[in-house]
Amino acid sequence: GFGAEDNGGDLDSFFVKSVEELPYNISVIQISKALPSAIAEAPTPGPSELNITGIMSAHGCKVFADTLLANPEAMGTYEDNLNGGLTVFCPLDDAFKAFLPKYKNLTASGKESFLEFFGVPVYQSLSMLKSNNGLMNTLATDGASKFDFTVQNDGEQVTLKTKINTVKITGTLLDEQPVAIYTIDKVLMPRELFKTAPTPAPAPAPEEAADAPKASKSKSKSKSKSAPTPESDVPADSPDDDPADQTADDNAALSFKGGRFVAVGLSFLLVFLLL
């Protein structure tokens, strides 16, 4: 027989049969009735009674938790999702403290949406985050206001990314279905509330020197026919009284006359010999 602890030695539950036996490791038996236990009968707090801001405050996210508590609308949204499933990404204190000036410049509705942006209305264990890459809606998602981010992983490292910035999951504060709470190294910024830094436009290329206008073929042809040829392109005619040309002419004439006198002289000599 078997009996509960501190029941005065009353053995009111008895062995029925063996269910499974793995020698020297495991033995499962069936007994006739359950054994009462004060610990088992104690009420277990439901998810709605879970103090998520207390958990965050005690593990490095106090600034974010205090800011969430100071916004009843956003805090109410978190509490409404505790039973159905909730995943929270809380920025560490140093990162959120440095971000507070930007947060204070938001409108009232902007502050509420911003705080809700760090909660996801479903339970996501760390192993699920490592395997389920892609877009993820948040508590702030509402129609045209997407307020989503992209989950990406590289090995064991999980990152959350918007069009503004990228943050890393650095630790796990709670991972018990239906609630999970993780720490992140920076403040994740939604594109709906913060603008991306303008990309510097590339410097314009230096303008090339304008080419001289070119005449069309028809104009070029007509111009070549009608326009006078520049003097520099045509060899200049030698003047009639060029000393060099005149000397050459005189030499040629002298040679010709000298040749004629020699011919006449030879003729007279031939006649004389014949006589």
Side-chain angles (χ1 to χ4, degrees):
F2 302 89
E5 184 180 11
D6 300 328
N7 69 344
D10 185 14
L11 305 180
D12 54 357
S13 183
F14 302 96
F15 174 84
V16 176
K17 66 179 180 178
S18 174
V19 177
E20 186 69 36
E21 295 178 3
L22 301 177
Y24 316 115
N25 291 310
I26 299 174
S27 178
V28 181
I29 64 173
Q30 179 182 348
I31 58 178
S32 59
K33 62 181 291 187
L35 299 176
S37 169
I39 296 176
E41 292 175 358
T44 302
S48 58
E49 300 175 17
L50 189 64
N51 185 358
I52 58 173
T53 54
I55 294 173
M56 290 188 283
S57 296
H59 296 88
C61 295
K62 187 176 188 307
V63 180
F64 177 77
D66 289 347
T67 306
L68 183 59
L69 285 170
N71 193 303
E73 292 79 9
M75 189 65 215
T77 304
Y78 277 81
E79 291 173 342
D80 291 343
N81 284 271
L82 282 173
N83 290 323
L86 177 67
T87 303
V88 183
F89 302 96
C90 59
L92 292 169
D93 283 339
D94 289 343
F96 200 81
K97 190 181 299 183
F99 184 81
L100 279 177
K102 291 184 179 179
Y103 170 79
K104 292 177 180 178
N105 286 333
L106 296 173
T107 63
S109 61
K111 291 177 180 177
E112 179 183 352
S113 296
F114 174 74
L115 293 173
E116 293 173 351
F117 178 67
F118 292 88
V120 175
V122 292
Y123 167 74
Q124 292 281 342
S125 67
L126 192 57
S127 61
M128 294 168 67
L129 290 172
K130 290 178 180 178
S131 60
N132 297 333
N133 291 339
L135 285 175
M136 187 169 290
N137 290 335
T138 66
L139 296 176
T141 301
D142 182 17
S145 300
K146 294 183 178 180
F147 282 99
D148 54 19
F149 55 78
T150 301
V151 179
Q152 295 180 334
N153 63 73
D154 182 10
E156 294 298 312
Q157 182 65 67
V158 180
T159 60
L160 314 178
K161 181 179 181 180
T162 69
K163 290 190 178 295
I164 310 298
N165 67 338
T166 301
V167 306
K168 297 178 182 178
I169 294 179
T170 57
T172 302
L173 304 186
L174 178 68
D175 189 355
E176 296 179 5
Q177 196 170 3
V179 180
I181 304 175
Y182 306 101
T183 58
I184 52 179
D185 63 341
K186 292 183 293 186
V187 176
L188 188 64
M189 294 187 287
R191 59 183 174 179
E192 286 82 1
L193 296 178
F194 303 96
K195 295 181 180 179
T196 57
T199 304
E207 296 183 1
E208 297 181 359
D211 294 335
K214 297 180 180 179
S216 63
K217 291 183 178 180
S218 59
K219 291 183 178 180
S220 178
K221 289 181 180 179
S222 61
K223 182 177 180 181
S224 63
K225 291 181 180 179
S226 59
T229 304
E231 293 184 357
S232 60
D233 295 339
V234 179
D237 293 336
S238 298
D240 292 340
D241 55 354
D242 186 352
D245 292 344
Q246 185 65 41
T247 303
D249 291 343
D250 293 343
N251 292 337
L254 182 60
S255 298
F256 174 75
K257 290 179 180 179
R260 186 174 58 183
F261 289 148
V262 171
V264 172
L266 290 175
S267 298
F268 280 120
L269 179 60
L270 180 61
V271 173
F272 178 78
L273 291 175
L274 290 176
L275 292 177

